[in-house]
Amino acid sequence: MAHDAYGAKVVISRRSIVLGALLALPVLIYVGLGTYSLWTTGLLTRFWWLLPSCWVLTWVLSKIWRPRRLSSQTQQHDVPIPSHWTARDRAAAQIIRDHQRRIDGFTPEQLIEWQFYQAEAESLAVDLARHYHPNTTDPYSALTVPEVLAAVRLVVDDMEQWLLRTVPGSRLLTIKQWKMLRSAPKWYQRVRDTAWVASILINPVSLARYMSSKLTLDPVSNELQTELLAAIYLRFMRQMGFYLIEMNSGRLRGGADAYRRAFQTEPTLSTVGPVKGTVEIAAQPVTVALVGQVSSGKSSLINALTGTNQAAVDILPETRSVERYQVAVGDPPVTVTLLDTPGFGEAGASTEQMQQIRTALQESNAVLVVMDAHSPARESDLNTIRELEVWYAAHPRLKQPPMLGVLTHVDLLRPTFEWSPPYNWREPTAPKEQSIHDAVDYVRGVFVESLAGLVPVCAGGRGELAWGTHEELIPALTAILSDAQAVALLRAFEKELDRDKFKILLTQIRRTGSELLRFWLEERHPSARRDSQTDHGPDPQNRPLSS
């Protein structure tokens, strides 16, 4: 796929470019040599074979180099999946793809009609609304007017930029010319046939060129026209679907400007790169909660990460409330706040512990599930993760934080008295490596897809022989850092939208009252209106003031 000077994808395929170039080649040659020169020197008769030869070659190549189905082009116009999208948003993206794949059933006549695009947009909007509001008979009733206006504005803005920078000649394309695309083959054939009649009358040899053009040029030009219209339709559905997802997710209720400031600092739909600018809401700190059973090694892990002995370590459940620690992770470094939650027993957490853990999990942007490698009891860990998943299922606007499993005390795995790190546990060859590999594989099977990753560590008790924190955990934590930042961004954005909403309402009421009062005064007292015109400029229509 070719790109333009802005880095945007060109909508015409390589096949169409080659075929189109072959069609234009003889025209360019004729223009270069000069029609007049060809006529006066007799070269036109000598090179009569050039046009039919190129047309025949184009037709043969079009038969050998078959076009892909239009629905196969949907990958080029696939909906981007931003990092802040939730699982519900990702599922909605498939609805857009299903609508795009219907392109094979449309005709060029349909793809040129504004009413067709309106009907397709309404159909997609209904399907997405039902996805987000499956239990309502009227899925539109929950939407606000600013959300709908913001979605329309964002779609129009994106389509404008895409057309200007990727569609050849779009700056000169008028509405009349756009409508003419529907009948382009018809009027083009009339003009061409008239020219051919004149050419045959002057030179009967042109009859052979006319027949070759009729058999070869028409089908190829129709293919190129359909491909261009299909590309415009696919991009329209992509843009429309993307912002319909953002609208139904509630992220447009603050308006288009607020949405752009928060989210379009990262690439979304823009074909020319991200929107530039500094957005304070995007620079949110990352909070990581550590959860696990009593003596699973959470405190030792925190000490290993921070390089200090801040967290108390004991065989008893030292952490009776949520403690906070800070550590820098990644390059450039990102400040991460660690939440050390209360440890719980194999039977599960108490009511008080679960409330503290639930609060920490709902505040966190990522979760470290800390587990003792040589203990097979995983039921309480599973219950804790399910608690988190249930809570986020009930709050679909928020993105569930990524969860990373950490297996501690791997030094106690068999052979117990062997400890000589580092260990290549992913491709084990030694008994200790095999034990670590088996422990990781067992836990991965228990948690299935709930964990974004699983790493073994030995965080404490071995002094300089500690292993895994920097070799395994830090890289794994860095890998999920972008997802954690997306969780933080989305949560901060939701809080920002809900902040001071009553104060904003009162401000709007006050402004409305002021505007109504000013309007009443201007209508009742012409002098007040003249003063207003002096301040804001004259009445553009110079209409007389009513008394």
Side-chain angles (χ1 to χ4, degrees):
M1 177 60 63
H3 293 74
D4 67 4
Y6 296 93
K9 290 183 178 180
V10 178
V11 300
I12 303 297
S13 67
R14 186 179 292 108
R15 172 185 180 274
S16 298
I17 293 175
V18 173
L19 297 180
L22 285 173
L23 291 175
L25 180 61
V27 177
L28 295 176
I29 293 176
Y30 281 162
V31 171
L33 295 177
T35 305
Y36 180 76
S37 297
L38 290 172
W39 177 259
T40 57
T41 60
L43 291 177
L44 187 60
T45 304
R46 185 180 304 176
F47 288 97
W48 69 269
W49 52 267
L50 184 59
L51 274 175
S53 298
C54 286
W55 290 337
V56 171
L57 178 60
T58 302
W59 179 80
V60 171
L61 186 58
S62 69
K63 294 301 180 182
I64 298 174
W65 190 358
R66 295 304 302 161
R68 295 179 299 170
R69 290 173 57 87
L70 293 176
S71 57
S72 65
Q73 299 181 23
T74 56
Q75 185 176 1
Q76 304 168 13
H77 303 271
D78 203 2
V79 182
I81 307 296
S83 58
H84 66 266
W85 271 15
T86 65
R88 184 176 62 167
D89 299 332
R90 294 172 185 268
Q94 184 59 44
I95 298 176
I96 303 175
R97 298 187 191 101
D98 293 340
H99 275 261
Q100 288 178 316
R101 292 193 181 101
R102 296 161 50 189
I103 184 64
D104 287 317
F106 301 141
T107 63
E109 288 75 15
Q110 289 176 296
L111 295 174
I112 209 67
E113 290 290 346
W114 298 112
Q115 295 84 352
F116 171 77
Y117 285 89
Q118 180 181 354
E120 285 296 299
E122 291 178 356
S123 174
L124 178 61
V126 169
D127 288 346
L128 288 173
R130 287 172 178 166
H131 170 75
Y132 282 88
H133 310 284
N135 298 323
T136 59
T137 56
D138 180 13
Y140 293 129
S141 59
L143 298 174
T144 65
V145 174
E147 285 178 318
V148 177
L149 293 177
V152 172
R153 175 183 166 190
L154 290 167
V155 172
V156 171
D157 286 350
D158 275 8
M159 286 299 295
E160 174 200 7
Q161 292 301 314
W162 179 75
L163 284 170
L164 287 175
R165 290 176 171 171
T166 63
V167 178
S170 58
R171 294 175 183 268
L172 305 175
L173 184 64
T174 65
I175 296 297
K176 181 178 180 180
Q177 292 167 344
W178 169 265
K179 292 181 178 179
M180 290 174 63
L181 286 176
R182 174 178 55 187
S183 56
K186 296 179 181 178
W187 63 259
Y188 172 74
Q189 288 173 11
R190 293 192 189 101
V191 173
R192 187 190 61 184
D193 290 344
T194 302
W196 277 120
V197 169
S199 177
I200 293 172
L201 291 175
I202 296 173
N203 185 2
V205 178
S206 300
L207 180 61
R209 294 201 301 269
Y210 169 73
M211 295 303 298
S212 63
S213 169
K214 196 71 174 176
L215 295 174
T216 60
L217 193 60
D218 287 357
V220 176
S221 61
N222 287 335
E223 285 182 7
L224 298 181
Q225 176 203 22
T226 303
E227 182 176 336
L228 175 60
L229 295 175
I232 294 175
Y233 168 81
L234 293 175
R235 180 53 62 108
F236 171 79
M237 296 300 287
R238 161 182 154 155
Q239 309 293 100
M240 178 64 70
F242 183 92
Y243 289 118
L244 285 175
I245 288 177
E246 297 294 77
M247 180 184 70
N248 282 283
S249 295
R251 290 187 283 270
L252 297 186
R253 66 185 186 275
D257 291 336
Y259 171 81
R260 279 175 170 156
R261 286 196 303 269
F263 294 110
Q264 290 194 349
T265 53
E266 60 175 87
T268 52
L269 287 181
S270 177
T271 57
V272 294
V275 176
K276 303 300 180 182
T278 302
V279 182
E280 294 181 359
I281 197 172
Q284 296 296 320
V286 173
T287 302
V288 179
L290 286 81
V291 298
Q293 299 181 32
V294 174
S295 301
S296 60
K298 293 188 283 82
S299 299
S300 297
L301 194 61
I302 289 175
N303 290 335
L305 287 170
T306 59
T308 62
N309 290 319
Q310 301 180 63
V313 180
D314 205 313
I315 58 174
L316 297 176
E318 290 288 346
T319 306
R320 300 186 183 278
S321 61
V322 177
E323 302 289 342
R324 296 173 181 267
Y325 308 90
Q326 287 191 334
V327 61
V329 177
D331 184 22
V334 175
T335 299
V336 174
T337 300
L338 303 176
L339 303 182
D340 188 9
T341 63
F344 46 85
E346 293 184 6
S350 65
T351 303
E352 180 183 358
Q353 288 176 331
M354 183 54 67
Q355 181 59 41
Q356 293 176 344
I357 294 172
R358 187 184 296 111
T359 302
L361 290 177
Q362 293 168 7
E363 180 185 346
S364 63
N365 315 126
V367 179
L368 296 184
V369 185
V370 186
M371 297 167 280
D372 191 342
H374 71 290
S375 172
R378 297 286 173 254
E379 187 65 28
S380 56
D381 298 316
L382 271 173
N383 291 336
T384 303
I385 290 179
R386 286 170 184 156
E387 281 269 347
L388 178 65
E389 293 174 341
V390 168
W391 188 86
Y392 274 94
H395 299 78
R397 283 187 177 180
L398 297 179
K399 181 180 176 67
Q400 181 172 321
M403 291 180 284
L404 185 64
V406 184
L407 283 183
T408 61
H409 306 313
V410 295
D411 55 318
L412 301 180
L413 296 174
R414 293 180 300 176
T416 308
F417 297 103
E418 176 196 330
W419 186 245
S420 182
Y423 291 107
N424 184 14
W425 59 272
R426 292 179 179 85
E427 298 178 357
T429 57
K432 193 74 168 184
E433 293 175 340
Q434 187 64 50
S435 294
I436 297 175
H437 175 274
D438 293 343
V440 171
D441 195 54
Y442 168 73
V443 174
R444 184 179 290 115
V446 172
F447 288 91
V448 195
E449 298 179 354
S450 295
L451 300 178
L454 193 60
V455 295
V457 300
C458 176
R462 293 281 177 167
E464 67 277 4
L465 296 181
W467 170 80
T469 304
H470 297 282
E471 298 87 346
E472 301 285 347
L473 180 56
I474 294 295
L477 190 56
T478 303
I480 66 171
L481 201 57
S482 60
D483 278 346
Q485 289 174 318
V487 174
L489 169 61
L490 187 56
R491 181 171 294 154
F493 180 70
E494 290 290 332
K495 289 181 180 179
E496 186 71 18
L497 291 182
D498 294 333
R499 181 183 301 171
D500 298 331
K501 54 186 178 182
F502 295 109
K503 182 179 179 180
I504 293 173
L505 176 61
L506 291 176
T507 301
Q508 292 171 334
I509 294 174
R510 186 177 67 252
R511 288 176 180 172
T512 302
S514 299
E515 289 297 317
L516 290 175
L517 178 61
R518 185 176 64 84
F519 177 77
W520 181 84
L521 289 174
E522 289 176 353
E523 291 296 317
R524 292 292 180 269
H525 301 281
S527 59
R529 182 164 184 173
R530 283 195 293 269
D531 292 341
S532 177
Q533 290 176 357
T534 302
D535 295 336
H536 302 288
D539 186 353
Q541 299 182 13
N542 294 320
R543 291 174 296 187
L545 301 177
S546 59
S547 59

